[in-house]
Structures are given as structure tokens and as C-alpha cells.
């Protein structure tokens, strides 16, 4: 009886603790004041899921966790940066924002601009933005222009436009984006009560790896016992400017989110690698798809770019010390890119079947 009451009370408490969004939750670590109009869709507080399957693949009593940031309001980690960028843009009296995007930034910018009552403009590479992301930008009311070139060119153009006209740039050159995104590192430490030995993360413009590192470092100021993780950044081999230390003129990968040849945060990323004694490596599209399927086989559906973190982890299996704790960041939701999922799965899918019980039960092998 007493136990039942306690259980009921606990349950009620779960519901009572409403997550206020990441700016409210981590206000003291963020450059906001009582004057900042907070534009939030209650982003953040995403699950840290233990992957039994990946822990088993890596072996040696290693625990592999997935930071599933695809469960943010628009389905990617970009919401963390955008709640900050849009709130600050609004505070500064700006009325319109602009970004170049491989898809997720545009979805988040459009959604938060809509929530904050701002206009949004989006430049995307024609034909290389996944359907879900394009659908979002259009539905949230962005004005979308697709250009006959790649992301890098689009970014060059929006940077110039934002200098010439009264529009705020919300790509990750905007420092508020990094501020918002660093909260994912806070959440990981809050959940684990320590920081992981490795953080595996996909890299495009390298804003997110920069943000995570900033987050871990800031938390370590508060908690001196915190040992910082090695930052392991992964790119697709067809689009690996940070691994090869070059500009890739024609980046090419199935992971369109990270189809970026000239990352804007290159120097910051190099510093992260050095300070954290981490590493940057490339993974092939085949390895990305294989990781994508392993994740889905355990009920976690992420987009191909996100699976690069897991592909990278698997590639480094033999370097991992026993009893390590590893976090792989799953940056975006699998539903963002349904075409990729439909083309790359091992499911049995029989089409145009007559609706006949006998026929269907035979097909199912009964
Ligand atoms: C799912 O949306 O650059 O290294 O324009 O969508 O911080 O650039 C997306 C990047 C990883 C890479 N995973 O992050 C854009 C864009 C997903 C992404 C990245 C992106 P950064």
C-alpha cells in the first residue's frame, strides 16, 4: 500500500517536472539576460540511450551510449543553436534571418523564426537536401532558394548578403549557435555524472564538435574532477576536408547533411582535436549505411550523416581501452531522409499482394 503510494507520487513527479527548454535549464551558462525574449520550442533534454548492440560489438566491457538529438522539435541538434540564435536576433531588434543549409539548419531556422515572428530566408544546394528537411523549411514558412551549386557556395553568398543587408546570419559562424549547442555536453554529463572517454560525432562545418568541446570544458571549470573526453570527429570519405586538411571542391556523399567541402569552423576544430587529444577520420558511405542499419536494428532511426559517428566508432574498435564509456552523437532523425531509408534496408517488402488470408499467411511462412 505504502509502496503503491510512493510509486504513484514518483510518477506524478515525472509529469510535474516539465522541461522548460534549454535556455531556461542552463541559463547561467548562456549569454542571455532578463531582457532576452526567449524563443523556444522546448528543445534539448534528449535521451541518452544505452546501445546493447554496439556495446557488444565493441566488447571489452565498453558501454556505448547514443545521444539521440534527432528527438529535438525539428528533428536535429540544430534546434539547440537556433533557440539561442533566434532569441538573440530578436533581442537585437532584427526582423529577418538567413542561412545556407544542407537541410537541417534551414528547418530549424525556419521553425524558430516562425515561433519568434521573424522572416527567414534559406539557400540550399539544388537536389541535395533530403525531402523531410525541405518539407519542413517550406511548411514553417521560409523563403527558399535552391542554387545550382553546393553548400559551400550557398554559404559564401549568404555571408555576403548578411553583410550588405539588415539580415542576421544564423549559420554556425553565428557565435550564439555554438552557445546553444554546447548544452548537449552538459546533458551528457548530467546524465552520466561524468564525461565519456570518447565522444564520437559527425563533422560538416564542425560547429557541433566545437560546441560540445566548449560545453565539456565549461562544466569542468565547475567540477574539477571531470576528465575531458577525446573528441573523435568523423567525415564521409567523399567529403573529408578536415581529415585530409584540404578544401574539397566537389564533395560527394550519401550523407547529404555533411556534404561540405570547406568547413567554416576549420581552425576551431583543429584546436578541439589538439586540446582533447582526439582524432579526425573518414568513413566510407558503405560503412555509414552499415552503421545506419545496425542502429535501426535496435530501434534507433537516425539520418545517414548521424550514423557516421557510429561507423567511426566501429572502425576504431581495436583502439578502445577496456571498460570505456563512449557517446555517439546522433545529430538528426531518420525520418528526415526517407528516400535513403527506402533505398537502403534489408527488409522484406512484398508489393501488390491480393488481399487473401491464405495467400498472405503462406507468404509470411505460416
Ligand atoms: C544531421 O544543416 O550544415 O559539423 O546546413 O545536419 O556542426 O556542421 C548540417 C550539419 C551533422 C554536421 N549531422 O554538423 C546544415 C548543416 C547532421 C547535420 C551535421 C549536420 P556541423
Amino acid at each position: 500500500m505504502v509502496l503503491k503510494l510512493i510509486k504513484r507520487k514518483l510518477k506524478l513527479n515525472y509529469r510535474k517536472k516539465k522541461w522548460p527548454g534549454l535556455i531556461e535549464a542552463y541559463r547561467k551558462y548562456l549569454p542571455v539576460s532578463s531582457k532576452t525574449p526567449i524563443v523556444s520550442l522546448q528543445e534539448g533534454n534528449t535521451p541518452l540511450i544505452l546501445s546493447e548492440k554496439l556495446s557488444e560489438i565493441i566488447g571489452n566491457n565498453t558501454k556505448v551510449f547514443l545521444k539521440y538529438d534527432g528527438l529535438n522539435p525539428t528533428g536535429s541538434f540544430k534546434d539547440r543553436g537556433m533557440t539561442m540564435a533566434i532569441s538573440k536576433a530578436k533581442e537585437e531588434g532584427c526582423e529577418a534571418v538567413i542561412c545556407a543549409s544542407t537541410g537541417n539548419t534551414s528547418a530549424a531556422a525556419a521553425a524558430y523564426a516562425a515561433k519568434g515572428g521573424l522572416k527567414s530566408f534559406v539557400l540550399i544546394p539544388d537536389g541535395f537536401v533530403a525531402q523531410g528537411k525541405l518539407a519542413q523549411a517550406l511548411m514553417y514558412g521560409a523563403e527558399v532558394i535552391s542554387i545550382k551549386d553546393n553548400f559551400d557556395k550557398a554559404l559564401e553568398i549568404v555571408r555576403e548578403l548578411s553583410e550588405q543587408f539588415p539580415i542576421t546570419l544564423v549559420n554556425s559562424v553565428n557565435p550564439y549557435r555554438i552557445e546553444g549547442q554546447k548544452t548537449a555536453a552538459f546533458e551528457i554529463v548530467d546524465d552520466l555524472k561524468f564525461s565519456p572517454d570518447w565522444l564520437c560525432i559527425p563533422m560538416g562545418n564542425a560547429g557541433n564538435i566545437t560546441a560540445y568541446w566548449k560545453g565539456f570544458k565549461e562544466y569542468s571549470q565547475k567540477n574539477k574532477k571531470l576528465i575531458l573526453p577525446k573528441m573523435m570527429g568523423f567525415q564521409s570519405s567523399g567529403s573529408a576536408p578536415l581529415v585530409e586538411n584540404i578544401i574539397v571542391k566537389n564533395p560527394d556523399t550519401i550523407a547529404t547533411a555533411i556534404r561540405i567541402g570547406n568547413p567554416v569552423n576549420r581552425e576551431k576544430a583543429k584546436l578541439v582535436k589538439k586540446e582533447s587529444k582526439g582524432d579526425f577520420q573518414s568513413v566510407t558511405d558503405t560503412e555509414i549505411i552499415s552503421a545506419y542499419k545496425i542502429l535501426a536494428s535496435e530501434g534507433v532511426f537516425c539520418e545517414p550523416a548521424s550514423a557516421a559517428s557510429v561507423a567511426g566508432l566501429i572502425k576504431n574498435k581495436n583502439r578502445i581501452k577496456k571498460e570505456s564509456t563512449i557517446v555517439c552523437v546522433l545529430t538528426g532523425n531518420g525520418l528526415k531522409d526517407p528516400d535513403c531509408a527506402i533505398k537502403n534496408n534489408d527488409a522484406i517488402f512484398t508489393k501488390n499482394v491480393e488481399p487473401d488470408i491464405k495467400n498472405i499467411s503462406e507468404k509470411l511462412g505460416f
Side-chain angles (χ1 to χ4, degrees), residues 111-146:
Y112 284 81
K115 181 75 175 163
L118 275 63
K119 173 105 191 98
S120 63
F121 300 98
V122 164
L123 251 73
I124 53 172
D126 203 15
F128 289 94
V129 168
Q131 287 291 299
K133 306 175 189 181
L134 181 59
Q136 288 179 293
L138 297 170
M139 278 304 290
Y140 296 136
E143 186 166 334
V144 180
I145 294 177
S146 78

Side-chain angles (χ1 to χ4, degrees), residues 77-78 101-105 203-208 257-258 260 303 331:
F77 73 97
K78 304 284 181 181
S101 183
T102 56
N104 281 326
T105 299
M203 295 187 297
N205 272 310
N208 213 24
I258 51 172
I260 293 170
E303 64 172 285
T331 45

